[in-house]
Amino acid sequence: MARTIMHIDLDAFFVSVEQVLNPELKGKPVVVGGRPDKRGVVASASYEARAFGLHAGMPLVTARRLCPRAIFIEGSFSKYREASHRFMTILADFSPYLESMGLDEAYLDVTGFESIHGSIYQMAVAIKQRIKDEAGLPSSIGIAGCKIVAKIAADLSKPDGLMEIAVGEERSFLAPLPIAKLPGIGKKTGTVLNSLGIRVIGELANVPASVLKSHFGTFGEILHRHANGIDDRKVELPGAAKSISRETTFGQDTRDHSLLKATLGYLGERVGAELRQEGSQARCVTLKLRYADFTTITRRHTLTRATDAHQTITSIGLKLLARALSQEKQLVRLIGIGVSNFTEPGRQLDMLDTSDQRLEQLNKAIDRIRKKYGFTAIQTGRILPLKDIFPESDDGYTLHTPSLSR
Ligand code: TTP
Ligand code: MG
């Protein structure tokens, strides 16, 4: 479904808060980070200071050399936290689909909100105005169909900016920008890309995903998608449990091992498929069982390495199941499996060994076929017993608790 995402980022955040508290600092080159005679770096520089080449991360001594008349402020975190809270509260008034990314930055999913505000652009104008009126802070907003494009649009529009990228325009918008504008491309990745003759995002977009993958692993594939303006990441709600789970209640309480294993296998496959779709990997696998008398137990195992392979998830689930059943003789009423403790893929590329890579390739192929022909187009031997019990659809099996059997 087409989405509309906003990325909102406050301008020169620490400095702007200082300027609210002391209006004499407005319109001047101001640096928050500490006294220039101290060791340390610039945390935030006003746009007037940036005109002299100052930027976050620059040693304070260098900053003073480049801009001797800059005003240097130590800063205090509690003020910034308070201002951040005010900022987020305003955003939450506009959409409950709010994901805050640190103190001065957030994504809002505003899909369908145009009817309330006239247009999404008008909504963004209203948001900027309220942040200005109620917190005294300047902000910049990017609007697009996905997170990555919205974030880059906000960044490009700074300061006090507002930029909307129409659906279909993502690639042409990104194409002329230097690759460093793409979040995630730091010095190291940038150097490798430069050595391949890639300087702007449009050039990166034209490199086959397989080539980027050979250089950067899974991160290379993400780069390829992002450079092409494709980003499926959802706006994650705060406190939204970082976990994915599937469970089902049996039509009749059971101790039938082959049914229990088949059901667990199936639920594990669903969990793995969703993890991969989310582009996440998880380290913790949890088995849930509810017995005939309604006592519910969970058993969990933490992996040394995050995974998105249902094979791994299921095999751990089965071990936990065998152990649980050996200690409890009651019939089972409900079974479930979940994963938590997420990491983004790409964080642990160097550690992937060949068996992991083969599993990853296999699961990609499985996902592709299922996307085309339906979930039950591929079934592992373990879950085949379900065939005789549950009706099938393109979406998989219809278990007894349909809302949970996605
Ligand atoms: P940013 O949003 O990256 O920077 P900014 O708000 O100062 O400037 P702009 O968004 O207009 O480019 O970071 C938000 C705050 O986080 C920033 O005000 C200070 C703090 N910060 C640091 O302490 N150290 C850093 O290296 C960076 C980048 C930010
Ligand atoms: Mg900012």
Side-chain angles (χ1 to χ4, degrees):
M1 193 187 90
R3 301 174 298 155
T4 314
I5 311 275
M6 252 186 218
H7 183 259
I8 305 110
D9 190 299
L10 299 175
D11 301 330
F13 175 49
F14 286 5
V15 168
S16 298
V17 174
E18 298 295 340
Q19 288 171 328
V20 171
L21 298 170
N22 177 5
E24 278 181 23
L25 296 172
K26 285 191 177 160
K28 294 179 181 161
V30 177
V31 168
V32 172
R35 304 262 152 230
D37 48 336
K38 293 231 183 88
R39 286 153 59 90
V41 295
V42 175
S44 181
S46 70
Y47 280 78
E48 290 79 6
R50 291 185 205 195
F52 293 84
L54 275 57
H55 58 78
M58 173 182 278
L60 292 166
V61 250
T62 316
R64 181 171 58 176
R65 185 163 49 72
L66 290 176
C67 183
R69 59 187 187 86
I71 302 161
F72 290 86
I73 297 170
E74 202 93 52
S76 84
F77 199 73
S78 58
K79 294 186 226 165
Y80 309 141
R81 204 172 30 216
E82 200 179 305
S84 170
H85 182 71
R86 218 168 303 142
F87 164 58
M88 295 294 174
T89 307
I90 294 168
L91 295 185
D93 265 357
F94 282 88
S95 166
Y97 308 107
L98 165 69
E99 180 182 8
S100 84
M101 311 289 295
L103 287 178
D104 86 324
E105 186 186 344
Y107 289 103
L108 276 188
D109 190 322
V110 294
T111 310
F113 279 58
E114 45 277 82
S115 51
I116 306 172
H117 299 275
S119 69
I120 297 298
Y121 192 92
Q122 281 308 314
M123 178 179 182
V125 170
I127 291 175
K128 276 168 63 75
Q129 194 60 49
R130 271 199 61 191
I131 298 170
K132 186 87 210 156
D133 292 346
E134 293 171 31
L137 298 170
S139 60
S140 297
I141 300 186
I143 305 167
C146 66
K147 279 182 164 180
I148 194 82
V149 177
K151 182 173 169 72
I152 296 172
D155 183 40
L156 226 67
S157 76
K158 278 177 171 291
D160 195 18
L162 173 48
M163 193 184 285
E164 181 170 11
I165 308 303
V167 173
E169 300 293 318
E170 295 86 356
R171 284 190 96 230
S172 55
F173 160 64
L174 296 175
L177 304 176
I179 50 172
K181 285 280 172 207
L182 210 54
I185 297 195
K187 266 208 181 107
K188 238 165 124 187
T189 316
T191 310
V192 177
L193 290 174
N194 285 340
S195 75
L196 297 170
I198 299 161
R199 304 204 174 264
V200 294
I201 298 179
E203 289 163 347
L204 182 60
N206 287 327
V207 180
S210 56
V211 174
L212 293 177
K213 191 173 180 195
S214 70
H215 283 278
F216 307 109
T218 311
F219 178 58
E221 294 177 301
I222 295 172
L223 271 185
H224 179 79
R225 283 203 297 275
H226 286 185
N228 281 283
I230 300 164
D231 180 3
D232 298 331
R233 288 175 301 159
K234 293 182 197 153
V235 172
E236 301 280 356
L237 305 194
K242 277 276 187 188
S243 69
I244 295 175
S245 63
R246 292 289 179 271
E247 62 182 47
T248 190
T249 303
F250 291 107
Q252 270 182 330
D253 299 350
T254 182
R255 276 294 280 199
D256 177 343
H257 279 225
S258 101
L259 175 62
L260 288 169
K261 286 190 206 164
T263 309
L264 189 63
Y266 176 68
L267 297 172
E269 292 206 9
R270 307 306 308 228
V271 166
E274 184 167 336
L275 255 180
R276 295 193 292 274
Q277 199 186 339
E278 297 263 319
S280 297
Q281 300 191 326
R283 278 186 60 213
C284 191
V285 178
T286 304
L287 169 78
K288 177 174 172 184
L289 290 176
R290 180 167 298 144
Y291 294 110
D293 72 350
F294 277 84
T295 27
T296 306
I297 62 148
T298 55
R299 294 289 177 265
R300 103 184 3 191
H301 176 84
T302 303
L303 295 156
T304 47
R305 235 159 56 195
T307 186
D308 62 8
H310 58 264
Q311 295 88 340
T312 310
I313 295 165
T314 302
S315 88
I316 290 167
L318 289 171
K319 277 187 203 142
L320 295 170
L321 176 68
R323 208 174 303 152
L325 291 183
S326 71
Q327 292 162 0
E328 175 60 64
K329 298 290 169 246
Q330 283 198 69
L331 297 179
V332 174
R333 177 184 170 82
L334 168 150
I335 192 166
I337 187 164
V339 291
S340 56
N341 211 338
F342 286 6
T343 55
E344 305 239 349
R347 292 272 163 83
Q348 45 174 1
L349 294 174
D350 304 339
M351 300 196 315
L352 280 189
D353 59 30
T354 41
S355 66
D356 282 347
Q357 280 170 9
R358 285 180 50 196
L359 207 53
E360 197 184 308
Q361 272 163 7
L362 170 68
N363 289 341
K364 272 213 177 105
I366 292 177
D367 292 343
R368 255 198 316 273
I369 292 168
R370 282 181 168 164
K371 200 169 172 187
K372 208 160 166 191
Y373 301 108
F375 197 88
T376 50
I378 291 187
Q379 306 207 31
T380 49
R382 189 184 291 124
I383 67 175
L384 279 178
L386 299 183
K387 237 181 164 32
D388 299 329
I389 307 172
F390 299 112
E392 283 176 51
S393 74
D394 275 0
D395 237 13
Y397 287 107
T398 308
L399 303 184
H400 288 294
T401 40
S403 65
L404 297 170
S405 63
R406 288 174 291 137

